[in-house]
Amino acid sequence: SQTIHQWPATLVQPVGSPLSLECTVEGTSNPNLYWYRQAAGRGLQLLFYSVGIGQISSEVPQNLSASRPQDRQFILSSKKLLLSDSGFYLCAWSTRGSYIQYFGAGTRLSVL
Amino acid sequence: AQSVTQPDIHITVSEGASLELRCNYSYGATPYLFWYVQSPGQGLQLLLKYFSGDTLVQGIKGFEAEFKRSQSSFNLRKPSVHWSDAAEYFCAVGAESGGGADGLTFGKGTHLIIQP
């Protein structure tokens, strides 16, 4: 069966510090991968998606970037965090051609 | 571009009562529609989906939803709620042209509170 892992679960970072959140998927090959951010009362906002290694599409220009160094690994990064980067970050995957997305448990990021 | 509206930010229901959560979408072609549930501090779990065919779809945990094209709606229902149903519920739509690759558009969610 397929599983998705996100870590860390919780992160507190000072303004201006770097960020690296990691997501890995097991039990499937060539998945589509997604990063969403969830801010209080604002639902889920799609940040990045990837259909393959090194292929990243950005939905919202911002202080964040994403990379996919391996088929089942998706990383969300920032060089310098802003207060506005605080939120709940969710990674998701889907099989090619499917609209059904499966979500990880999320990372709660607090930028202070 | 597609959009999803969940008009109710909070809904309070007594345990054992029936539930309906509203969802309206805006999309020019045939939508792919989803309901997800999120427990506090957790990821999202798929409750049910509609792609085509029978407009009344059954999901997990006793939930169902009905697709009404004329009303651009996909409302979620449950005949009798349990305290464990307290959570955040999200309606989402997928863009057919994207083939599933370019993500889903989510509503802002409805927070369900269950009264004893």
Side-chain angles (χ1 to χ4, degrees), chain B residues 6 55 93:
Chain B
Q6 293 180 247
T55 56
V93 62

Side-chain angles (χ1 to χ4, degrees), chain B residues 12 28-29 53 98:
Chain B
T12 300

Side-chain angles (χ1 to χ4, degrees), chain B residues 1 12 14 30-32 44 62-63 69 71 85 96 99-100 104 110-111:
Chain B
T12 300
S14 298
T30 301
Y32 297 91
L44 275 69
F63 286 93
R69 184 185 299 276
Q71 299 177 21
D85 293 323
E96 183 179 17
L104 301 176
T110 296
H111 184 61

Side-chain angles (χ1 to χ4, degrees), chain B residues 91-107:
Chain B
C91 182
V93 62
E96 183 179 17
S97 59
D102 50 356
L104 301 176
T105 299
F106 285 83

Side-chain angles (χ1 to χ4, degrees), chain A residues 35-37 42 44-49 56-66 76 85:
Chain A
W35 278 112
Y36 289 87
R37 178 169 57 201
R42 296 179 63 183
L44 278 79
Q45 179 185 38
L46 179 64
L47 302 177
F48 303 94
Y49 67 92
I56 309 296
S57 296
S58 173
E59 289 294 300
V60 182
Q62 58 207 326
N63 185 41
L64 302 169
S65 62
L76 183 68
D85 292 323

Side-chain angles (χ1 to χ4, degrees), chain A residues 34 36 38 49 99-101 104, chain B residues 36 38 43 90 95-96 100-101 104:
Chain A
Y34 309 87
Y36 289 87
Q38 185 178 22
Y49 67 92
Y99 292 85
I100 302 172
Q101 294 187 14
Chain B
Y36 283 86
Q38 183 182 34
F90 291 95
E96 183 179 17
L104 301 176

Side-chain angles (χ1 to χ4, degrees), chain A residues 2-111:
Chain A
Q2 301 90 358
T3 56
I4 179 170
H5 302 279
Q6 268 189 259
W7 65 93
T10 305
L11 190 60
V12 180
Q13 292 285 96
V15 170
S17 63
L19 173 72
S20 180
L21 303 181
E22 189 161 344
C23 171
T24 59
V25 180
E26 296 177 357
T28 187
S29 297
N30 303 314
N32 294 330
L33 296 171
Y34 309 87
W35 278 112
Y36 289 87
R37 178 169 57 201
Q38 185 178 22
R42 296 179 63 183
L44 278 79
Q45 179 185 38
L46 179 64
L47 302 177
F48 303 94
Y49 67 92
S50 171
V51 299
I53 296 174
Q55 301 179 61
I56 309 296
S57 296
S58 173
E59 289 294 300
V60 182
Q62 58 207 326
N63 185 41
L64 302 169
S65 62
S67 62
R68 185 171 177 173
Q70 301 180 45
D71 181 47
R72 289 169 289 177
Q73 183 184 30
F74 205 24
I75 297 172
L76 183 68
S77 303
S78 174
K79 293 182 178 178
K80 288 186 177 182
L81 284 168
L82 306 172
L83 288 174
S84 58
D85 292 323
S86 294
F88 193 54
Y89 289 83
L90 290 158
C91 182
W93 71 274
S94 68
T95 56
R96 294 293 173 90
S98 173
Y99 292 85
I100 302 172
Q101 294 187 14
Y102 302 95
F103 286 80
T107 296
R108 172 73 62 190
L109 172 65
S110 298
V111 183

